[in-house]
Amino acid sequence: MDLHGIIRVIRKWLLLIILAPVLTAMVTGYYFYQIAEPTYTSRAQILVFHQQNENVINASDLATSSNIINDFCVIVTSTPVLQAAADSMQIVRSDGSIGSVSLEELKSCSISVTKGTDNRIVTVAVGSGNASLAYNAVEAIVESATQHAIEYLKTENIQVIEPACEAYQSGPASFRNTVIGGIAGLAIAVLFTLLVETLNTTIRDAEEVEKLLSLPVLAKIPRFEK
């Protein structure tokens, strides 16, 4: 399709190409701004290390620290740690009441454990639709994981350097999702237009007749306006 054909197609389907992204952006925006439940996240940072001599850190200490960090990251999300954390938690429900938390409810939260690439800091984060649950979960999990790690790994070198922060709203990304919805609507409109035009075998002008039949056009009947 040449430039003239592309311009003709755009002019023909201009209304659809404009309305589709506008409508999809409006629907997406309404959902994420008005309907979607917010997500809250709280996080804490823990220093996990191994050091035989308190004045010197050698290569052996760094290698051992790496192994301890890997083990600690697994311990954080283990069932005994989460069970102990759930048993110690009390949260504020959406109706204002205070209640306990079950292991299943805690596991339904988004729990992430990440370790630094060039340090010995482990970050524990919990995401939930309940801000109180997110905050208290981080606090309880860090305390439980620290106690279990000291018991399992036989080390005292685990320190909380940044306790659980107040839960902040981390989602949904309403503006970004609205923009993505608009772009998706535009893509759908363009693909639909291309599909329809590709399947349309109507001969539109004399140039297409010449290309199709390899014969010159001798005459054309003009179109008269009514």
Short mmCIF file of all heavy atoms in Angstrom, two decimals, residues 14-84:
data_model
loop_
_atom_site.label_atom_id
_atom_site.label_comp_id
_atom_site.label_asym_id
_atom_site.label_seq_id
_atom_site.Cartn_x
_atom_site.Cartn_y
_atom_site.Cartn_z
N LEU A 14 -10.81 7.30 10.33
CA LEU A 14 -10.30 8.27 11.29
C LEU A 14 -11.12 8.29 12.58
O LEU A 14 -10.57 8.36 13.69
CB LEU A 14 -10.27 9.66 10.67
CG LEU A 14 -9.69 10.78 11.55
CD1 LEU A 14 -8.25 10.45 11.90
CD2 LEU A 14 -9.79 12.13 10.83
N LEU A 15 -12.43 8.21 12.47
CA LEU A 15 -13.28 8.26 13.66
C LEU A 15 -13.00 7.09 14.59
O LEU A 15 -12.90 7.26 15.81
CB LEU A 15 -14.76 8.26 13.24
CG LEU A 15 -15.78 8.42 14.38
CD1 LEU A 15 -15.57 9.74 15.09
CD2 LEU A 15 -17.21 8.31 13.85
N LEU A 16 -12.86 5.88 14.02
CA LEU A 16 -12.56 4.71 14.83
C LEU A 16 -11.18 4.83 15.47
O LEU A 16 -11.00 4.51 16.66
CB LEU A 16 -12.62 3.45 13.98
CG LEU A 16 -12.21 2.14 14.67
CD1 LEU A 16 -13.18 1.82 15.80
CD2 LEU A 16 -12.15 0.99 13.67
N ILE A 17 -10.20 5.30 14.72
CA ILE A 17 -8.84 5.41 15.24
C ILE A 17 -8.77 6.41 16.38
O ILE A 17 -7.95 6.27 17.30
CB ILE A 17 -7.88 5.81 14.09
CG1 ILE A 17 -7.80 4.68 13.06
CG2 ILE A 17 -6.49 6.14 14.61
CD1 ILE A 17 -6.99 5.02 11.82
N ILE A 18 -9.63 7.42 16.37
CA ILE A 18 -9.65 8.42 17.45
C ILE A 18 -10.45 7.92 18.64
O ILE A 18 -10.02 8.03 19.80
CB ILE A 18 -10.22 9.76 16.94
CG1 ILE A 18 -9.27 10.38 15.91
CG2 ILE A 18 -10.44 10.72 18.11
CD1 ILE A 18 -9.80 11.64 15.29
N LEU A 19 -11.63 7.35 18.37
CA LEU A 19 -12.53 6.96 19.46
C LEU A 19 -12.03 5.75 20.24
O LEU A 19 -12.21 5.68 21.45
CB LEU A 19 -13.93 6.69 18.91
CG LEU A 19 -14.74 7.90 18.47
CD1 LEU A 19 -16.11 7.47 17.98
CD2 LEU A 19 -14.90 8.89 19.63
N ALA A 20 -11.42 4.77 19.55
CA ALA A 20 -11.01 3.53 20.22
C ALA A 20 -10.04 3.79 21.39
O ALA A 20 -10.30 3.34 22.51
CB ALA A 20 -10.40 2.56 19.21
N PRO A 21 -8.94 4.52 21.18
CA PRO A 21 -8.04 4.75 22.33
C PRO A 21 -8.66 5.63 23.40
O PRO A 21 -8.39 5.45 24.60
CB PRO A 21 -6.82 5.43 21.69
CG PRO A 21 -7.30 5.98 20.41
CD PRO A 21 -8.37 5.06 19.94
N VAL A 22 -9.53 6.58 23.00
CA VAL A 22 -10.17 7.43 24.00
C VAL A 22 -11.10 6.61 24.88
O VAL A 22 -11.09 6.73 26.12
CB VAL A 22 -10.96 8.57 23.31
CG1 VAL A 22 -11.80 9.33 24.33
CG2 VAL A 22 -10.00 9.53 22.61
N LEU A 23 -11.90 5.74 24.28
CA LEU A 23 -12.84 4.93 25.05
C LEU A 23 -12.12 3.93 25.95
O LEU A 23 -12.48 3.75 27.11
CB LEU A 23 -13.80 4.20 24.10
CG LEU A 23 -14.81 5.09 23.36
CD1 LEU A 23 -15.64 4.26 22.39
CD2 LEU A 23 -15.73 5.80 24.36
N THR A 24 -11.11 3.26 25.40
CA THR A 24 -10.38 2.28 26.22
C THR A 24 -9.64 2.96 27.37
O THR A 24 -9.57 2.42 28.48
CB THR A 24 -9.38 1.47 25.37
OG1 THR A 24 -8.53 2.39 24.65
CG2 THR A 24 -10.10 0.58 24.38
N ALA A 25 -9.10 4.15 27.13
CA ALA A 25 -8.43 4.90 28.20
C ALA A 25 -9.44 5.31 29.28
O ALA A 25 -9.14 5.25 30.48
CB ALA A 25 -7.72 6.12 27.63
N MET A 26 -10.64 5.73 28.85
CA MET A 26 -11.66 6.12 29.82
C MET A 26 -12.10 4.93 30.67
O MET A 26 -12.24 5.05 31.89
CB MET A 26 -12.86 6.72 29.08
CG MET A 26 -12.59 8.08 28.46
SD MET A 26 -14.00 8.71 27.51
CE MET A 26 -15.26 8.79 28.78
N VAL A 27 -12.33 3.78 30.03
CA VAL A 27 -12.76 2.59 30.77
C VAL A 27 -11.66 2.13 31.72
O VAL A 27 -11.90 1.81 32.89
CB VAL A 27 -13.15 1.46 29.78
CG1 VAL A 27 -13.40 0.16 30.54
CG2 VAL A 27 -14.38 1.86 28.99
N THR A 28 -10.43 2.08 31.21
CA THR A 28 -9.31 1.65 32.05
C THR A 28 -9.10 2.60 33.21
O THR A 28 -8.90 2.18 34.36
CB THR A 28 -8.02 1.57 31.21
OG1 THR A 28 -8.24 0.72 30.08
CG2 THR A 28 -6.88 1.00 32.04
N GLY A 29 -9.14 3.90 32.93
CA GLY A 29 -8.96 4.88 33.98
C GLY A 29 -10.05 4.80 35.04
O GLY A 29 -9.77 4.90 36.24
N TYR A 30 -11.29 4.64 34.60
CA TYR A 30 -12.39 4.53 35.56
C TYR A 30 -12.20 3.33 36.48
O TYR A 30 -12.42 3.42 37.69
CB TYR A 30 -13.72 4.42 34.82
CG TYR A 30 -14.91 4.26 35.75
CD1 TYR A 30 -15.46 5.36 36.40
CD2 TYR A 30 -15.47 3.01 35.99
CE1 TYR A 30 -16.53 5.22 37.26
CE2 TYR A 30 -16.54 2.86 36.85
CZ TYR A 30 -17.06 3.97 37.48
OH TYR A 30 -18.13 3.82 38.34
N TYR A 31 -11.77 2.22 35.89
CA TYR A 31 -11.59 1.01 36.71
C TYR A 31 -10.49 1.21 37.74
O TYR A 31 -10.69 0.94 38.93
CB TYR A 31 -11.26 -0.19 35.82
CG TYR A 31 -10.91 -1.42 36.61
CD1 TYR A 31 -11.90 -2.19 37.20
CD2 TYR A 31 -9.58 -1.80 36.79
CE1 TYR A 31 -11.58 -3.32 37.94
CE2 TYR A 31 -9.25 -2.91 37.54
CZ TYR A 31 -10.25 -3.67 38.11
OH TYR A 31 -9.92 -4.77 38.86
N PHE A 32 -9.33 1.70 37.31
CA PHE A 32 -8.20 1.78 38.23
C PHE A 32 -8.32 2.94 39.21
O PHE A 32 -7.78 2.87 40.31
CB PHE A 32 -6.89 1.87 37.45
CG PHE A 32 -6.44 0.56 36.87
CD1 PHE A 32 -6.60 0.29 35.52
CD2 PHE A 32 -5.88 -0.40 37.68
CE1 PHE A 32 -6.19 -0.92 35.00
CE2 PHE A 32 -5.48 -1.62 37.16
CZ PHE A 32 -5.63 -1.88 35.81
N TYR A 33 -9.02 4.01 38.83
CA TYR A 33 -9.16 5.15 39.74
C TYR A 33 -10.37 5.00 40.68
O TYR A 33 -10.34 5.53 41.80
CB TYR A 33 -9.29 6.45 38.95
CG TYR A 33 -7.98 7.02 38.49
CD1 TYR A 33 -7.58 6.90 37.16
CD2 TYR A 33 -7.14 7.69 39.37
CE1 TYR A 33 -6.37 7.44 36.72
CE2 TYR A 33 -5.93 8.22 38.94
CZ TYR A 33 -5.56 8.10 37.62
OH TYR A 33 -4.36 8.61 37.20
N GLN A 34 -11.41 4.29 40.23
CA GLN A 34 -12.64 4.25 41.01
C GLN A 34 -12.98 2.87 41.59
O GLN A 34 -13.63 2.79 42.64
CB GLN A 34 -13.82 4.71 40.12
CG GLN A 34 -13.66 6.10 39.56
CD GLN A 34 -13.67 7.18 40.64
OE1 GLN A 34 -14.27 7.01 41.69
NE2 GLN A 34 -12.99 8.29 40.38
N ILE A 35 -12.58 1.80 40.92
CA ILE A 35 -13.03 0.46 41.32
C ILE A 35 -11.91 -0.36 41.95
O ILE A 35 -12.11 -1.01 42.98
CB ILE A 35 -13.62 -0.29 40.10
CG1 ILE A 35 -14.83 0.48 39.55
CG2 ILE A 35 -14.03 -1.70 40.49
CD1 ILE A 35 -15.43 -0.14 38.31
N ALA A 36 -10.74 -0.36 41.34
CA ALA A 36 -9.64 -1.22 41.80
C ALA A 36 -9.26 -0.90 43.24
O ALA A 36 -9.16 0.26 43.63
CB ALA A 36 -8.43 -1.06 40.88
N GLU A 37 -9.06 -1.96 44.02
CA GLU A 37 -8.66 -1.80 45.41
C GLU A 37 -7.18 -1.41 45.49
O GLU A 37 -6.35 -1.96 44.78
CB GLU A 37 -8.88 -3.10 46.18
CG GLU A 37 -10.34 -3.51 46.31
CD GLU A 37 -11.13 -2.56 47.20
OE1 GLU A 37 -10.49 -1.91 48.07
OE2 GLU A 37 -12.35 -2.46 47.03
N PRO A 38 -6.85 -0.44 46.35
CA PRO A 38 -5.44 -0.05 46.48
C PRO A 38 -4.61 -1.14 47.16
O PRO A 38 -5.14 -1.94 47.93
CB PRO A 38 -5.50 1.22 47.34
CG PRO A 38 -6.76 1.08 48.12
CD PRO A 38 -7.73 0.35 47.22
N THR A 39 -3.34 -1.16 46.86
CA THR A 39 -2.40 -2.09 47.49
C THR A 39 -1.41 -1.29 48.33
O THR A 39 -0.89 -0.26 47.88
CB THR A 39 -1.63 -2.89 46.42
OG1 THR A 39 -2.57 -3.62 45.62
CG2 THR A 39 -0.67 -3.87 47.07
N TYR A 40 -1.15 -1.78 49.54
CA TYR A 40 -0.24 -1.10 50.45
C TYR A 40 0.99 -1.98 50.68
O TYR A 40 0.88 -3.21 50.74
CB TYR A 40 -0.93 -0.79 51.78
CG TYR A 40 -2.13 0.10 51.62
CD1 TYR A 40 -3.40 -0.45 51.47
CD2 TYR A 40 -2.01 1.48 51.62
CE1 TYR A 40 -4.52 0.36 51.32
CE2 TYR A 40 -3.12 2.30 51.47
CZ TYR A 40 -4.37 1.73 51.32
OH TYR A 40 -5.48 2.53 51.17
N THR A 41 2.13 -1.34 50.81
CA THR A 41 3.39 -2.07 50.99
C THR A 41 4.16 -1.50 52.17
O THR A 41 4.24 -0.28 52.35
CB THR A 41 4.25 -1.99 49.72
OG1 THR A 41 3.54 -2.58 48.63
CG2 THR A 41 5.57 -2.74 49.91
N SER A 42 4.73 -2.39 52.96
CA SER A 42 5.65 -2.01 54.03
C SER A 42 6.92 -2.84 53.86
O SER A 42 6.86 -3.96 53.34
CB SER A 42 5.03 -2.26 55.41
OG SER A 42 5.94 -1.92 56.45
N ARG A 43 8.04 -2.28 54.29
CA ARG A 43 9.30 -3.00 54.10
C ARG A 43 10.23 -2.74 55.28
O ARG A 43 10.08 -1.76 56.02
CB ARG A 43 9.97 -2.59 52.79
CG ARG A 43 10.43 -1.16 52.73
CD ARG A 43 11.05 -0.82 51.38
NE ARG A 43 10.06 -0.77 50.33
CZ ARG A 43 9.99 -1.65 49.32
NH1 ARG A 43 10.86 -2.65 49.25
NH2 ARG A 43 9.08 -1.53 48.40
N ALA A 44 11.18 -3.63 55.45
CA ALA A 44 12.21 -3.50 56.48
C ALA A 44 13.53 -4.01 55.91
O ALA A 44 13.53 -4.83 54.97
CB ALA A 44 11.83 -4.28 57.73
N GLN A 45 14.64 -3.55 56.47
CA GLN A 45 15.95 -3.96 56.01
C GLN A 45 16.75 -4.58 57.15
O GLN A 45 16.73 -4.08 58.28
CB GLN A 45 16.72 -2.78 55.42
CG GLN A 45 16.13 -2.28 54.09
CD GLN A 45 16.98 -1.21 53.45
OE1 GLN A 45 17.59 -0.40 54.14
NE2 GLN A 45 17.03 -1.21 52.13
N ILE A 46 17.43 -5.68 56.83
CA ILE A 46 18.15 -6.46 57.84
C ILE A 46 19.58 -6.67 57.36
O ILE A 46 19.81 -7.01 56.19
CB ILE A 46 17.48 -7.82 58.07
CG1 ILE A 46 15.98 -7.63 58.36
CG2 ILE A 46 18.14 -8.60 59.18
CD1 ILE A 46 15.18 -8.90 58.21
N LEU A 47 20.53 -6.47 58.24
CA LEU A 47 21.93 -6.74 57.94
C LEU A 47 22.26 -8.15 58.39
O LEU A 47 22.12 -8.50 59.55
CB LEU A 47 22.83 -5.73 58.66
CG LEU A 47 24.35 -5.96 58.52
CD1 LEU A 47 24.77 -5.83 57.06
CD2 LEU A 47 25.13 -4.98 59.39
N VAL A 48 22.69 -8.97 57.43
CA VAL A 48 23.03 -10.37 57.71
C VAL A 48 24.49 -10.56 57.30
O VAL A 48 24.86 -10.35 56.15
CB VAL A 48 22.12 -11.34 56.92
CG1 VAL A 48 22.46 -12.78 57.27
CG2 VAL A 48 20.65 -11.05 57.21
N PHE A 49 25.33 -10.98 58.25
CA PHE A 49 26.76 -11.09 57.93
C PHE A 49 27.43 -12.12 58.84
O PHE A 49 26.84 -12.63 59.80
CB PHE A 49 27.45 -9.72 58.09
CG PHE A 49 27.44 -9.20 59.50
CD1 PHE A 49 28.56 -9.31 60.32
CD2 PHE A 49 26.30 -8.59 60.03
CE1 PHE A 49 28.56 -8.83 61.61
CE2 PHE A 49 26.29 -8.10 61.33
CZ PHE A 49 27.42 -8.21 62.12
N HIS A 50 28.69 -12.41 58.50
CA HIS A 50 29.52 -13.30 59.32
C HIS A 50 30.88 -12.65 59.45
O HIS A 50 31.48 -12.20 58.47
CB HIS A 50 29.67 -14.67 58.66
CG HIS A 50 30.61 -15.58 59.40
ND1 HIS A 50 30.25 -16.24 60.55
CD2 HIS A 50 31.91 -15.92 59.15
CE1 HIS A 50 31.27 -16.96 60.98
NE2 HIS A 50 32.29 -16.79 60.15
N GLN A 51 31.39 -12.58 60.69
CA GLN A 51 32.67 -11.94 60.92
C GLN A 51 33.31 -12.57 62.17
O GLN A 51 32.82 -12.40 63.28
CB GLN A 51 32.47 -10.43 61.12
CG GLN A 51 33.77 -9.65 61.22
CD GLN A 51 33.52 -8.15 61.27
OE1 GLN A 51 32.42 -7.68 61.00
NE2 GLN A 51 34.56 -7.40 61.60
N GLN A 52 34.39 -13.31 61.95
CA GLN A 52 35.06 -13.97 63.06
C GLN A 52 35.81 -12.98 63.94
O GLN A 52 35.75 -13.04 65.16
CB GLN A 52 36.02 -15.04 62.52
CG GLN A 52 35.32 -16.23 61.88
CD GLN A 52 36.30 -17.27 61.38
OE1 GLN A 52 37.45 -16.97 61.10
NE2 GLN A 52 35.85 -18.50 61.29
N ASN A 53 36.52 -12.06 63.30
CA ASN A 53 37.28 -11.04 64.03
C ASN A 53 36.55 -9.71 63.89
O ASN A 53 36.32 -9.24 62.78
CB ASN A 53 38.69 -10.94 63.46
CG ASN A 53 39.58 -10.04 64.30
OD1 ASN A 53 39.12 -9.12 64.97
ND2 ASN A 53 40.88 -10.31 64.26
N GLU A 54 36.17 -9.10 65.00
CA GLU A 54 35.38 -7.88 64.94
C GLU A 54 36.14 -6.71 64.35
O GLU A 54 35.55 -5.69 63.98
CB GLU A 54 34.89 -7.50 66.34
CG GLU A 54 36.01 -7.21 67.32
CD GLU A 54 35.51 -6.82 68.69
OE1 GLU A 54 34.29 -6.98 68.94
OE2 GLU A 54 36.32 -6.36 69.51
N ASN A 55 37.45 -6.82 64.22
CA ASN A 55 38.26 -5.73 63.68
C ASN A 55 38.63 -5.92 62.21
O ASN A 55 39.04 -4.95 61.56
CB ASN A 55 39.55 -5.56 64.50
CG ASN A 55 39.25 -5.21 65.95
OD1 ASN A 55 38.37 -4.40 66.22
ND2 ASN A 55 40.00 -5.81 66.87
N VAL A 56 38.51 -7.16 61.70
CA VAL A 56 38.95 -7.45 60.34
C VAL A 56 37.90 -8.30 59.64
O VAL A 56 37.34 -9.23 60.22
CB VAL A 56 40.31 -8.20 60.34
CG1 VAL A 56 40.74 -8.51 58.90
CG2 VAL A 56 41.37 -7.37 61.05
N ILE A 57 37.64 -7.97 58.37
CA ILE A 57 36.77 -8.78 57.53
C ILE A 57 37.62 -9.37 56.42
O ILE A 57 38.22 -8.64 55.63
CB ILE A 57 35.63 -7.95 56.91
CG1 ILE A 57 34.75 -7.35 58.01
CG2 ILE A 57 34.77 -8.80 55.99
CD1 ILE A 57 33.64 -6.45 57.47
N ASN A 58 37.71 -10.70 56.36
CA ASN A 58 38.52 -11.36 55.34
C ASN A 58 37.63 -12.01 54.28
O ASN A 58 36.40 -11.98 54.36
CB ASN A 58 39.47 -12.38 55.97
CG ASN A 58 38.72 -13.37 56.86
OD1 ASN A 58 37.64 -13.84 56.49
ND2 ASN A 58 39.29 -13.68 58.02
N ALA A 59 38.28 -12.63 53.29
CA ALA A 59 37.54 -13.24 52.18
C ALA A 59 36.66 -14.39 52.67
O ALA A 59 35.56 -14.62 52.15
CB ALA A 59 38.52 -13.73 51.12
N SER A 60 37.12 -15.11 53.66
CA SER A 60 36.34 -16.22 54.21
C SER A 60 35.04 -15.71 54.84
O SER A 60 33.98 -16.33 54.69
CB SER A 60 37.16 -16.99 55.24
OG SER A 60 36.38 -18.02 55.84
N ASP A 61 35.13 -14.57 55.51
CA ASP A 61 33.93 -13.98 56.11
C ASP A 61 32.92 -13.59 55.05
O ASP A 61 31.70 -13.81 55.20
CB ASP A 61 34.31 -12.74 56.94
CG ASP A 61 35.07 -13.10 58.20
OD1 ASP A 61 34.90 -14.23 58.69
OD2 ASP A 61 35.84 -12.25 58.69
N LEU A 62 33.39 -13.02 53.95
CA LEU A 62 32.48 -12.61 52.88
C LEU A 62 31.80 -13.80 52.23
O LEU A 62 30.61 -13.77 51.93
CB LEU A 62 33.26 -11.80 51.82
CG LEU A 62 33.83 -10.46 52.28
CD1 LEU A 62 34.64 -9.81 51.17
CD2 LEU A 62 32.71 -9.53 52.74
N ALA A 63 32.56 -14.88 52.02
CA ALA A 63 31.98 -16.08 51.42
C ALA A 63 30.95 -16.71 52.35
O ALA A 63 29.86 -17.12 51.91
CB ALA A 63 33.08 -17.08 51.09
N THR A 64 31.29 -16.76 53.63
CA THR A 64 30.34 -17.32 54.60
C THR A 64 29.11 -16.44 54.73
O THR A 64 27.99 -16.94 54.84
CB THR A 64 31.02 -17.47 55.97
OG1 THR A 64 32.21 -18.25 55.84
CG2 THR A 64 30.09 -18.14 56.96
N SER A 65 29.30 -15.13 54.69
CA SER A 65 28.17 -14.20 54.76
C SER A 65 27.22 -14.42 53.59
O SER A 65 25.99 -14.39 53.75
CB SER A 65 28.68 -12.75 54.74
OG SER A 65 29.43 -12.46 55.89
N SER A 66 27.77 -14.67 52.40
CA SER A 66 26.93 -14.91 51.23
C SER A 66 26.07 -16.15 51.42
O SER A 66 24.87 -16.15 51.10
CB SER A 66 27.81 -15.07 49.99
OG SER A 66 27.03 -15.34 48.85
N ASN A 67 26.65 -17.21 51.98
CA ASN A 67 25.88 -18.43 52.23
C ASN A 67 24.81 -18.20 53.30
O ASN A 67 23.67 -18.68 53.17
CB ASN A 67 26.81 -19.56 52.67
CG ASN A 67 27.77 -19.99 51.57
OD1 ASN A 67 27.45 -19.87 50.38
ND2 ASN A 67 28.95 -20.45 51.94
N ILE A 68 25.16 -17.45 54.34
CA ILE A 68 24.19 -17.18 55.40
C ILE A 68 23.03 -16.34 54.87
O ILE A 68 21.87 -16.57 55.21
CB ILE A 68 24.89 -16.47 56.58
CG1 ILE A 68 25.86 -17.42 57.26
CG2 ILE A 68 23.87 -15.95 57.58
CD1 ILE A 68 26.65 -16.78 58.39
N ILE A 69 23.34 -15.37 54.01
CA ILE A 69 22.29 -14.53 53.42
C ILE A 69 21.33 -15.37 52.59
O ILE A 69 20.11 -15.21 52.66
CB ILE A 69 22.92 -13.41 52.58
CG1 ILE A 69 23.62 -12.40 53.49
CG2 ILE A 69 21.86 -12.71 51.73
CD1 ILE A 69 24.43 -11.36 52.75
N ASN A 70 21.89 -16.27 51.78
CA ASN A 70 21.03 -17.14 50.97
C ASN A 70 20.13 -18.00 51.84
O ASN A 70 18.93 -18.16 51.55
CB ASN A 70 21.90 -18.04 50.07
CG ASN A 70 22.62 -17.26 48.99
OD1 ASN A 70 22.15 -16.20 48.56
ND2 ASN A 70 23.76 -17.75 48.55
N ASP A 71 20.69 -18.55 52.90
CA ASP A 71 19.88 -19.36 53.82
C ASP A 71 18.82 -18.50 54.51
O ASP A 71 17.67 -18.93 54.68
CB ASP A 71 20.78 -20.02 54.87
CG ASP A 71 21.74 -21.04 54.27
OD1 ASP A 71 21.44 -21.52 53.16
OD2 ASP A 71 22.76 -21.33 54.90
N PHE A 72 19.19 -17.30 54.90
CA PHE A 72 18.25 -16.42 55.59
C PHE A 72 17.07 -16.06 54.70
O PHE A 72 15.93 -16.01 55.15
CB PHE A 72 18.97 -15.15 56.06
CG PHE A 72 18.08 -14.20 56.80
CD1 PHE A 72 17.74 -14.42 58.12
CD2 PHE A 72 17.58 -13.07 56.17
CE1 PHE A 72 16.92 -13.54 58.81
CE2 PHE A 72 16.76 -12.19 56.84
CZ PHE A 72 16.42 -12.42 58.16
N CYS A 73 17.33 -15.82 53.42
CA CYS A 73 16.25 -15.47 52.49
C CYS A 73 15.24 -16.60 52.37
O CYS A 73 14.03 -16.35 52.20
CB CYS A 73 16.83 -15.15 51.11
SG CYS A 73 17.78 -13.59 51.06
N VAL A 74 15.70 -17.84 52.46
CA VAL A 74 14.79 -18.98 52.42
C VAL A 74 14.03 -19.11 53.74
O VAL A 74 12.83 -19.40 53.76
CB VAL A 74 15.57 -20.27 52.10
CG1 VAL A 74 14.64 -21.49 52.15
CG2 VAL A 74 16.23 -20.18 50.74
N ILE A 75 14.72 -18.88 54.82
CA ILE A 75 14.10 -19.00 56.15
C ILE A 75 12.95 -18.02 56.31
O ILE A 75 11.93 -18.33 56.93
CB ILE A 75 15.16 -18.79 57.25
CG1 ILE A 75 16.13 -19.97 57.27
CG2 ILE A 75 14.52 -18.62 58.62
CD1 ILE A 75 17.31 -19.78 58.20
N VAL A 76 13.09 -16.82 55.76
CA VAL A 76 12.08 -15.76 55.94
C VAL A 76 10.70 -16.22 55.51
O VAL A 76 9.70 -15.94 56.18
CB VAL A 76 12.49 -14.49 55.17
CG1 VAL A 76 11.34 -13.48 55.15
CG2 VAL A 76 13.71 -13.85 55.81
N THR A 77 10.61 -16.93 54.40
CA THR A 77 9.30 -17.34 53.87
C THR A 77 8.95 -18.79 54.21
O THR A 77 8.03 -19.35 53.63
CB THR A 77 9.27 -17.16 52.34
OG1 THR A 77 10.36 -17.88 51.75
CG2 THR A 77 9.39 -15.69 51.97
N SER A 78 9.69 -19.40 55.13
CA SER A 78 9.38 -20.78 55.51
C SER A 78 8.12 -20.81 56.37
O SER A 78 7.76 -19.82 57.02
CB SER A 78 10.56 -21.39 56.27
OG SER A 78 10.79 -20.68 57.48
N THR A 79 7.45 -21.93 56.36
CA THR A 79 6.19 -22.07 57.10
C THR A 79 6.34 -21.83 58.60
O THR A 79 5.50 -21.15 59.20
CB THR A 79 5.58 -23.45 56.83
OG1 THR A 79 5.29 -23.57 55.43
CG2 THR A 79 4.28 -23.63 57.61
N PRO A 80 7.37 -22.37 59.29
CA PRO A 80 7.50 -22.09 60.73
C PRO A 80 7.61 -20.60 61.04
O PRO A 80 7.03 -20.12 62.02
CB PRO A 80 8.78 -22.84 61.11
CG PRO A 80 8.91 -23.93 60.11
CD PRO A 80 8.40 -23.34 58.83
N VAL A 81 8.35 -19.87 60.20
CA VAL A 81 8.50 -18.43 60.42
C VAL A 81 7.17 -17.72 60.22
O VAL A 81 6.76 -16.89 61.04
CB VAL A 81 9.58 -17.85 59.48
CG1 VAL A 81 9.53 -16.32 59.48
CG2 VAL A 81 10.95 -18.34 59.87
N LEU A 82 6.48 -18.04 59.14
CA LEU A 82 5.20 -17.38 58.87
C LEU A 82 4.14 -17.77 59.89
O LEU A 82 3.30 -16.94 60.26
CB LEU A 82 4.73 -17.73 57.45
CG LEU A 82 5.64 -17.25 56.31
CD1 LEU A 82 5.03 -17.62 54.96
CD2 LEU A 82 5.88 -15.75 56.38
N GLN A 83 4.17 -19.01 60.35
CA GLN A 83 3.20 -19.44 61.36
C GLN A 83 3.41 -18.68 62.65
O GLN A 83 2.45 -18.19 63.27
CB GLN A 83 3.32 -20.94 61.60
CG GLN A 83 2.32 -21.50 62.60
CD GLN A 83 0.91 -21.43 62.10
OE1 GLN A 83 0.51 -22.14 61.19
NE2 GLN A 83 0.10 -20.54 62.70
N ALA A 84 4.67 -18.56 63.09
CA ALA A 84 4.96 -17.82 64.31
C ALA A 84 4.59 -16.35 64.16
O ALA A 84 4.09 -15.71 65.10
CB ALA A 84 6.43 -17.97 64.67
#
